[in-house]
């Protein structure tokens, strides 16, 4: 499983703290720091809290399924391998390319955003110079050893986590009048949360924001990809799944409550980060500069996670012999260097398309990657359902599984249905409908390419 055509092997160097921070790093990004205000304005404070809670439930159910699979078969490339084995090789192939595209597109937008943020402090330096420097830095973090990657991701994520914790503590204190507001305003308590009514835009607004929330939680599944490079996966993975989800709920819900309580709903979607607006109201000095630094860290952390995830997906495709074995080669330190280079090149192409063809190529890429995460989650639920059925059919006892998905088959079925519901919901939102128009043809194309290459291989007699 872990061998490749080269001399190197994957090294099990990641500890629980690394895996937890890796999944938090993939999730806590610009979505929380910049887009949360927009979500509040769309669904109202209570609607947003409800949609984040439902989103957290969906993720939790999917992660319970992933837990059983990744503890039983701790593979690098995880859910692509499970989908190939338990649903079908064409589905596994499609899932891998969807997931690879998700992260390479994210890389392109993250390096641009990082360059734009540096403009605040260095307005005379070109954005692309910063983008190139950050891209080189993230590449080097990934290129040497998995330990260096894990350690850098741990510290990147720690900055974000500490900021959110401090923000919730300070915001909570200001909310209840423990610390005074900057302009001598009275303590708001919960008045802003209910000022516009419980659900100002009705229940349908919650469904619309659910889609955005699902995408906001994407990244938790990185736990499964890291399973092949984790120390004691049977202990580390279940622990990482539970701690990650509790932290996500506390961070996301806590943040939304504080933002909703301290910002009137009409002010929530201003262009600047809602975090900056709240910190300025509390009277935190240099609030905008502090948040600029934190958002920069968040973006680099997400790029770091993204490059890791996409390179492991390519390695996994090559390991299953569905693409050139050249991508399955590992360095002596256990890094899939060739896969890393192609993933970085994919990020660079996404970056170019965002400059040259933002209205066509880039919007198509973003739409496909938005839908891809939910499709990947659906594949995890189905894989676990099929795995358990096969496991029992072969005469094994459920008690022999080190980690079991509880309430089988209820958990995989419900997680699949909830993910499917958010995909169907996209059809009713004109702004997000493009995800289906671009995503479904891309999925069909992946299946066609798989069957075409498979047939060609068989004709040449290259099948092993």
């Amino acid at each position: 499983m872990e061998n490749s055509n080269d001399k190197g092997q994957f090294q099990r160097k990641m500890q629980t703290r690394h895996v937890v921070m890796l999944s938090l790093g993939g999730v806590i990004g610009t979505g929380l720091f910049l887009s949360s205000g927009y979500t509040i304005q769309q669904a109202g404070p209570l609607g947003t809290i409800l949609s984040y809670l439902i989103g957290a439930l969906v993720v939790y159910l999917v992660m319970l399924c992933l837990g059983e699979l990744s503890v039983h078969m701790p593979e690098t490339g995880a859910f692509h391998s499970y989908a190939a084995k338990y649903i079908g090789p064409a589905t596994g192939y499609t899932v891998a390319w969807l997931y690879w595209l998700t992260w390479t597109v994210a890389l392109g937008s993250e390096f641009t955003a990082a360059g734009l943020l540096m403009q605040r402090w260095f307005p005379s330096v070109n954005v692309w110079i910063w983008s190139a420097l950050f891209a080189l830095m993230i590449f080097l973090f990934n290129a040497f050893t998995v330990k260096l990657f894990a350690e850098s991701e741990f510290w990147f994520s720690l900055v974000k986590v500490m900021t959110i914790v401090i923000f919730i503590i300070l915001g909570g204190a200001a909310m209840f009048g423990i610390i005074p507001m900057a302009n001598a305003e009275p303590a708001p308590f919960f008045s802003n949360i209910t000022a516009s009514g419980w659900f100002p835009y009705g229940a349908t607004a919650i469904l619309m924001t659910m889609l955005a929330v699902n995408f906001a939680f994407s990244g938790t599944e990185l736990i499964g990809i890291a399973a092949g490079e984790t120390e004691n996966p049977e202990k580390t993975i279940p622990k990482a799944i539970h701690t990650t989800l509790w932290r996500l709920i506390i961070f996301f819900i806590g943040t939304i409550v504080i933002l909703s309580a301290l910002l009137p709903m009409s002010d929530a979607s201003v262009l600047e980060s809602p975090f900056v607006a709240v910190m300025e109201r509390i009277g935190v000095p240099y609030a905008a500069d502090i948040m600029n630094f934190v958002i920069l860290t968040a973006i680099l952390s997400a790029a770091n996670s993204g490059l890791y995830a996409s390179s492991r997906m390519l390695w996994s495709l090559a390991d299953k012999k569905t693409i050139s074995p050249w991508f399955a080669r590992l360095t002596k330190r256990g890094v899939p260097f060739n896969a890393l280079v192609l993933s970085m090149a994919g990020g660079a192409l996404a970056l170019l398309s965002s400059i040259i063809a933002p209205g066509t190529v880039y919007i198509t890429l973003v739409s496909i990657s938005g839908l891809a995460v939910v499709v990947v989650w659906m594949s995890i639920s189905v894989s676990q359902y099929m795995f358990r059925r096969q496991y029992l059919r072969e005469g094994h006892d459920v008690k022999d599984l080190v980690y079991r998905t509880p309430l089988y088959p209820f958990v995989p079925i419900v997680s699949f249905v909830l993910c499917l519901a958010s995909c169907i919901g996209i059809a009713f939102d004109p702004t997000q409908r493009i995800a289906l128009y671009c995503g479904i043809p891309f999925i069909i194309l992946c299946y066609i390419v798989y069957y075409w290459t498979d047939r060609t291989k068989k004709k040449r007699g290259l099948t092993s």
Side-chain angles (χ1 to χ4, degrees):
M1 175 193 73
E2 300 283 63
N3 268 324
S4 81
N5 313 359
D6 219 356
K7 291 175 186 173
Q9 276 192 311
F10 280 119
Q11 298 174 354
R12 294 193 178 276
K13 291 288 172 78
M14 287 207 217
Q15 297 156 8
T16 307
R17 69 183 179 96
H18 293 135
V19 181
V20 169
M21 284 301 192
L22 169 64
S23 60
L24 285 176
V27 180
I28 301 171
T30 47
L32 182 62
F33 288 117
L34 296 174
S35 317
S36 45
Y38 172 77
T39 315
I40 292 168
Q41 208 207 21
Q42 290 298 300
L46 283 167
T48 304
I49 291 167
L50 201 59
S51 56
Y52 272 105
L53 280 171
I54 297 167
L57 172 70
V58 174
V59 178
Y60 189 54
L61 296 176
V62 172
M63 291 307 110
L64 288 174
C65 295
L66 183 59
E68 178 170 304
L69 293 164
S70 55
V71 169
H72 188 68
M73 299 164 282
E75 271 191 59
T76 298
F79 29 83
H80 149 243
S81 308
Y82 309 145
K85 194 170 180 180
Y86 296 107
I87 306 173
T91 304
Y93 178 83
T94 304
V95 162
W97 279 117
L98 279 168
Y99 201 68
W100 182 82
L101 187 75
T102 296
W103 282 111
T104 45
V105 171
L107 279 177
S109 56
E110 275 145 10
F111 292 136
T112 314
L116 288 166
L117 285 171
M118 293 305 285
Q119 290 272 285
R120 180 179 176 85
W121 298 312
F122 303 97
S124 55
V125 181
N126 249 329
V127 171
W128 72 264
I129 293 173
W130 288 116
S131 297
L133 280 172
F134 288 133
L136 178 66
M137 181 177 84
I138 295 298
F139 181 77
L140 293 175
F141 279 152
N142 278 266
F144 290 109
T145 63
V146 73
K147 182 84 182 198
L148 177 66
F149 157 75
E151 208 56 49
S152 62
E153 188 52 42
F154 176 80
W155 292 105
F156 274 146
S157 294
L158 195 63
V159 172
K160 298 188 287 192
V161 170
M162 292 304 292
T163 305
I164 292 172
V165 169
I166 293 165
F167 176 80
I168 291 172
I169 293 167
L170 281 179
M175 202 173 134
F176 295 109
I178 299 164
I179 57 172
M181 302 286 275
N183 46 6
E185 282 180 46
F189 290 92
F190 294 99
S191 59
N192 283 329
I193 293 181
T194 52
S196 308
W198 290 93
F199 299 106
Y201 303 116
T204 48
I206 298 170
L207 178 67
M208 296 310 173
T209 52
M210 263 307 305
L211 314 173
V213 167
N214 270 350
F215 304 148
F217 278 122
S218 63
T220 27
E221 67 292 323
L222 284 166
I223 292 171
I225 291 184
E229 294 170 85
T230 303
E231 289 178 0
N232 304 323
E234 63 284 345
K235 287 182 184 167
T236 305
I237 301 298
K239 196 173 171 185
I241 286 171
H242 290 299
T243 50
T244 302
L245 272 136
W246 279 114
R247 286 174 198 194
L248 282 182
I249 292 169
I250 292 163
F251 294 157
F252 275 86
I253 303 300
T255 301
I256 297 296
V257 169
I258 300 296
L259 289 176
S260 307
L262 295 177
L263 280 184
M265 199 172 128
S266 54
D267 297 358
S269 81
V270 284
L271 282 174
E272 67 170 337
S273 163
F275 277 74
V276 176
V278 166
M279 285 163 86
E280 281 174 347
R281 282 196 175 187
I282 299 171
V284 177
Y286 306 109
D289 286 310
I290 292 168
M291 280 319 295
N292 206 51
F293 171 74
V294 171
I295 294 166
L296 181 66
T297 314
I299 287 169
L300 294 177
S301 158
N304 205 23
S305 300
L307 185 57
Y308 172 82
S310 52
S311 63
R312 274 22 178 211
M313 269 298 152
L314 276 187
W315 175 87
S316 187
L317 278 166
D319 188 55
K320 294 276 181 289
K321 299 183 174 55
T322 45
I323 59 170
S324 167
W326 189 72
F327 294 110
R329 288 180 186 166
L330 299 175
T331 65
K332 283 175 184 173
R333 289 176 170 166
V335 174
F337 191 78
N338 298 341
L340 202 65
V341 171
L342 184 67
S343 297
M344 200 70 197
L349 287 173
L351 186 63
L352 278 176
S353 74
S354 72
I355 299 162
I356 298 161
T360 49
V361 179
Y362 187 65
I363 192 76
T364 305
L365 291 174
V366 170
S367 302
I368 294 169
S369 67
L371 182 69
V373 174
V374 184
V375 173
V376 166
W377 289 356
M378 288 161 76
S379 80
I380 292 169
S381 304
V382 175
S383 299
Q384 192 274 329
Y385 179 80
M386 303 297 275
F387 159 72
R388 182 76 76 90
R389 279 184 65 186
Q390 187 174 318
Y391 188 76
L392 293 172
R393 237 191 348 257
E394 288 168 357
H396 299 290
D397 193 334
V398 178
K399 288 173 188 164
D400 296 336
L401 288 169
V402 180
Y403 178 82
R404 295 189 291 277
T405 302
L407 302 173
Y408 177 88
F410 176 76
V411 167
I413 291 170
V414 171
S415 60
F416 179 84
V417 168
L418 288 172
C419 288
L420 183 64
S422 72
C423 289
I424 293 165
I426 294 172
F428 297 98
D429 184 359
T431 56
Q432 299 189 71
R433 214 171 281 156
I434 185 171
L436 292 176
Y437 296 151
C438 303
I440 291 171
F442 181 80
I443 290 168
I444 293 166
L445 178 69
C446 285
Y447 275 95
I448 291 167
V449 170
Y450 176 81
Y451 285 117
W452 179 72
T453 51
D454 196 48
R455 255 183 71 190
T456 312
K457 270 189 206 167
K458 280 175 182 165
K459 275 184 182 172
R460 288 181 187 164
L462 290 176
T463 45
S464 49

